[in-house]
Amino acid sequence: MRGIARHRRAITQPAFSPRIRAFEHWLGQDIPDRSSNRVQIRSGLHESEPEIRALPQRLDELQRLIRFAGAAETTVTVTAQHALAQTMMCGCMNLVQQEAGPVNFRQRTADRSECISAFVRGDAELMLCYSAPDDPHLPFDESYARMHWGDEALIPVAGSAGALDQIPKDRPLISYPEQSYLGQLLARAERAGLVRPCEGRPICDTEFSAAA
């Protein structure tokens, strides 16, 4: 049950468990009945399910009323992956202003999974993220508008190395962290035989493509 819930919220298990515990602490009781081998939601919570489901919607409506009280004060929060914040953010701002008029922007950069989590929570109105052809479908229904902005290629490079078979095994290597989205893409490409495994000497991991 918890695995299904964290999948719907697009967050990892280590990040999801503390949220459950924090909510239980605020509520004053456990959410599931852990006294038996079978995990079940407590009956009191089942009876209050309609009110519990309505509460986030009411909070969202109140947030929108406050946030968009005046058109001149409208601020749109954009969550974007690090590279896209540099390459696509200006075009995104221009498009929104063409469609909606003068708007202020707040930009939050993060890795892809963190961007999706922030967007699902309602912490941002717009999200800029990569999506590879073999990625799982994003956890959004038809109520979310989606636009294909463009295509980019992730190309591993080696500086002043000559032919690939001439690259020394101890050559200094700058790479993406294994847990980052682009790092996972490279790992998948290696397993599929599309790129050679990195055999250099790692000196820096960074999620910022421009820094690399």
Side-chain angles (χ1 to χ4, degrees):
M1 179 176 61
R2 182 176 294 183
I4 296 174
R6 71 173 178 81
H7 176 73
R8 289 180 178 176
R9 301 304 294 174
I11 59 177
T12 61
Q13 180 67 45
F16 188 69
S17 294
R19 296 185 186 181
I20 293 292
R21 290 296 186 186
F23 183 61
E24 289 177 333
H25 179 73
W26 175 83
L27 198 60
Q29 65 168 302
D30 291 345
I31 294 174
D33 184 357
R34 299 183 176 92
S35 60
S36 62
N37 293 331
R38 185 178 180 182
V39 178
Q40 293 180 320
I41 300 297
R42 291 185 178 275
S43 58
L45 290 173
H46 267 306
E47 295 170 1
S48 303
E49 181 180 354
E51 284 297 316
I52 294 173
R53 289 186 177 277
L55 182 58
Q57 183 177 353
R58 293 173 187 168
L59 289 175
D60 288 342
E61 291 173 355
L62 178 60
Q63 182 190 46
R64 283 193 291 269
L65 286 174
I66 295 173
R67 180 176 295 176
F68 300 109
E73 301 175 357
T74 298
T75 299
V76 174
T77 300
V78 182
T79 181
Q81 287 181 248
H82 303 293
L84 292 174
Q86 290 185 315
T87 60
M88 299 292 184
M89 186 63 187
C90 287
C92 174
M93 290 191 297
N94 289 335
L95 179 62
V96 171
Q97 290 182 331
Q98 289 174 9
E99 296 293 330
V103 175
N104 297 322
F105 291 90
R106 181 183 296 110
Q107 176 180 300
R108 296 178 178 175
T109 59
D111 196 52
R112 186 177 187 266
S113 61
E114 297 169 349
C115 289
I116 294 175
S117 295
F119 191 60
V120 169
R121 290 195 307 267
D123 294 343
E125 289 76 45
L126 292 174
M127 178 179 68
L128 298 176
C129 75
Y130 288 116
S131 183
D134 56 345
D135 278 340
H137 291 297
L138 291 173
F140 308 131
D141 57 28
E142 62 278 359
S143 64
Y144 291 84
R146 180 172 179 172
M147 176 184 294
H148 178 207
W149 197 272
D151 298 306
E152 290 189 1
L154 178 61
I155 306 174
V157 297
S160 63
L164 289 177
D165 57 1
Q166 298 174 1
I167 301 177
K169 290 187 177 182
D170 63 345
R171 175 169 293 277
L173 175 68
I174 300 175
S175 61
Y176 294 111
E178 292 182 0
Q179 71 276 12
S180 70
Y181 176 69
L182 295 181
Q184 293 172 5
L185 281 186
L186 280 177
R188 279 153 51 183
E190 287 182 5
R191 290 193 295 268
L194 301 177
V195 298
R196 289 178 52 182
C198 298
E199 298 178 344
R201 173 170 50 87
I203 61 171
C204 180
D205 281 345
T206 176
E207 297 177 356
F208 293 91
S209 299

